[in-house]
Amino acid sequence: MPEESINHINFDELNQKALSQPLIQHIYTADPSAHVFNGKIYIYPSHDVDAGEAFDDLGSHFAMEDYHVISMDSPTSEAKDNGVALHVNDVPWAKKQMWAPDAAEKDGKYFLFFPAKGHDGIFRIGVAVSNSPVGPFTAQAEAIKNSFSIDPAVFKDTGDSYYMYFGGIWGGQLQRWRNGSFNTTQPESPTAHLPKENEPALCAKVVRLTDDLLEFSEEPKDVLILDETDNPLLQGDTKRRFFEASWMHKYNGKYYFSYSTGDTHFICYAIGDNPYGPFKYAGRILNPVVGWTSHHSIVEFEGEWYLFYHDSSLSKGVTHLRSIKVTKLIHDENGFIKTINPYGDLKAVV
Ligand code: FUB
C-alpha cells in the first residue's frame, strides 16, 4: 500500500476532471450505502476520523467511532448531515472500528446494520433500530448470532425477503473463519489463512434474515463468482476476485453482485439469476479512485441509476480520510454496466 505515491497527484487538475465533488465537506465520510426511502435518498456511510492509529495492512487506522446519516432530496441536491445516529459507546458488545454500514426499512421501522470489533478483537455485525431513517438508532444488546467479518449490505427482494451480503479479507478477517470458527493463529498477518493463488477465491457470504431483520435465518452461504468458463475465480486473480464491499441490486430481473477487489482497487460485478447466485463475472464498474479503498452502492432514483462511491481527494490522498460522491451509472442494452473513470482521462495513482 504505497501511501506516498499520492504525493505525485496534482489535486487541482484531478478535482477539475473529477466526475463529482464530495457530497459532504465538513466531516469525512466513506463506504456510502444509499437507499431511497419515501422518495428521498438516505446515505449510510462510515464517518472517517483521524484517531492517530498507525497505518497497517489490517486497517487499524480506520478507527471510526460513530455513524451519521446523510439525506438528499435528489442526487443533485444539497446533502444534509443529520448528526450522530449511533455511537460505539452505545453499543454494548462493540469496542471499536465502526466500519461500513448499511440500512433497510421494514413496516415503517429502520434498521442500521454495522460491523465493529468486539472486546475480543473479533469483527461481528450488529443491528440497531429506529423509527426514523436518520436515527438515532438503538443497538441490540448482542451482535447478530453467528455473524462475523465486515461490510454488511442488505438487499430487499420482491416477496419481502431480506438478504445480507457480507465479508472482507485481510483486516476484515473473513479468511480467519474458513474452518467455521475464528482461527487465532498468526493474528497479525492479514494474508495468513487465505487460499493459495491457484485455489478458488474466498467468497463473500449471503444469508437470508429473519422476518424481524434481527438475526440470520440460516447458515451463511458462499457468493460464488464464476469466470467465462464457469469455473470459480481464483485467489490469484486479484483484479477480479472478491475482497470486500459487497452490494446487490436488481436490474431487469437479474441479480447484480458488486464488490471491491481491494488491493487492485476496482469495483467489479457479476450477474446471477437469484440472490444466492452463482454469479458470472461481468466486468468493472469503477476504475481506481484516489486512496487505497474503494466502496460503493448502486441505487435507482426516479428511473435513473446512480453509483455512490468515495475517494480521498478532499484530504489530498489520506487513505482513511475519505469523502462520499455520486455519479450516474449506465446499464447498456445488454444489461452490462458502462465502466466509470472517476477522473475522466486522468488515472488515480494508488
Ligand atoms: O471503512 C473501513 C473499510 O474500508 C470498509 O469496511 C471497507 O469496505 C473499506 O472501504
Side-chain angles (χ1 to χ4, degrees):
M1 296 189 201
E3 213 174 8
E4 297 72 26
S5 62
I6 56 172
N7 294 334
H8 305 307
I9 295 177
N10 175 339
F11 280 98
D12 289 338
E13 190 186 356
L14 183 106
N15 285 332
Q16 270 168 21
K17 297 217 167 168
L19 290 187
S20 60
Q21 299 304 319
L23 294 176
I24 288 282
Q25 308 218 357
H26 66 288
I27 56 172
Y28 290 108
T29 51
D31 310 323
S33 294
H35 292 273
V36 178
F37 296 137
N38 310 316
K40 209 168 151 168
I41 297 170
Y42 293 92
I43 309 165
Y44 299 84
S46 300
H47 173 199
D48 283 357
V49 287
D50 194 353
E53 297 286 339
F55 178 92
D56 66 24
D57 282 348
L58 288 168
S60 305
H61 45 305
F62 294 101
M64 298 85 104
E65 295 182 352
D66 64 13
Y67 296 112
H68 289 219
V69 181
I70 310 300
S71 52
M72 299 173 85
D73 289 335
S74 78
T76 51
S77 68
E78 206 182 324
K80 178 180 173 204
D81 173 4
N82 294 280
V84 177
L86 180 70
H87 193 281
V88 69
N89 291 345
D90 298 320
V91 184
W93 62 268
K95 182 164 183 225
K96 61 179 181 179
Q97 287 176 284
M98 305 283 267
W99 284 13
D102 192 19
E105 182 274 340
K106 187 172 183 186
D107 300 333
K109 275 192 183 169
Y110 297 86
F111 298 78
L112 182 70
F113 300 91
F114 59 96
K117 270 189 188 156
H119 299 276
D120 54 3
I122 299 177
F123 267 116
R124 308 271 178 191
I125 296 171
V127 195
V129 186
S130 176
N131 290 323
S132 160
V134 298
F137 290 87
T138 305
Q140 297 294 108
E142 305 282 348
I144 297 175
K145 270 192 288 306
N146 300 325
S147 70
F148 54 93
S149 200
I150 59 165
D151 290 3
V154 173
F155 166 71
K156 180 187 178 186
D157 202 3
T158 40
D160 227 22
S161 291
Y162 290 72
Y163 298 88
M164 181 187 288
Y165 297 83
F166 66 94
I169 62 173
W170 293 24
Q173 302 178 337
L174 184 62
Q175 69 281 0
R176 295 177 72 172
W177 289 93
R178 283 181 71 189
N179 297 323
S181 59
F182 189 74
N183 191 329
T184 54
T185 57
Q186 296 176 282
E188 299 307 326
S189 166
T191 51
H193 316 300
L194 282 172
K196 295 194 179 62
E197 301 227 321
N198 60 357
E199 292 178 346
L202 210 57
C203 295
K205 301 285 179 185
V206 54
V207 63
R208 199 165 68 81
L209 298 177
T210 51
D211 287 345
D212 61 8
L213 305 193
L214 299 178
E215 299 289 348
F216 293 170
S217 74
E218 58 186 355
E219 282 283 309
K221 297 172 172 57
D222 280 348
V223 177
L224 193 59
I225 304 176
L226 303 175
D227 67 12
E228 50 292 342
T229 58
D230 281 342
N231 287 305
L233 292 185
L234 301 181
Q235 193 66 32
D237 191 350
T238 56
K239 291 190 173 156
R240 300 195 296 178
R241 61 93 174 89
F242 170 79
F243 190 104
E244 62 188 4
S246 295
W247 190 257
M248 171 58 63
H249 77 279
K250 200 169 174 182
Y251 179 77
N252 277 350
K254 296 277 186 195
Y255 294 79
Y256 287 61
F257 175 71
S258 49
Y259 57 96
S260 164
T261 62
D263 55 344
T264 52
H265 317 289
F266 297 106
I267 299 291
C268 292
Y269 72 110
I271 302 176
D273 293 325
N274 70 76
Y276 292 108
F279 299 90
K280 186 108 169 189
Y281 180 82
R284 289 178 186 162
I285 294 176
L286 181 66
N287 279 329
V289 294
V290 172
W292 197 91
T293 66
S294 198
H295 193 127
H296 69 298
S297 62
I298 295 168
V299 70
E300 186 179 17
F301 182 82
E302 295 183 348
E304 306 267 23
W305 287 87
Y306 294 89
L307 177 79
F308 287 79
Y309 63 109
H310 70 221
D311 74 6
S312 295
S313 58
L314 185 64
S315 69
K316 297 211 174 349
V318 180
T319 301
H320 59 286
L321 297 179
R322 302 159 293 178
S323 301
I324 58 170
K325 297 183 153 190
V326 61
T327 191
K328 265 200 178 163
L329 176 140
I330 309 285
H331 300 87
D332 73 16
E333 60 281 10
N334 298 313
F336 293 112
I337 295 173
K338 199 168 165 231
T339 306
I340 295 167
N341 290 318
Y343 314 102
D345 58 358
L346 272 191
K347 268 197 183 150
V349 183
V350 283

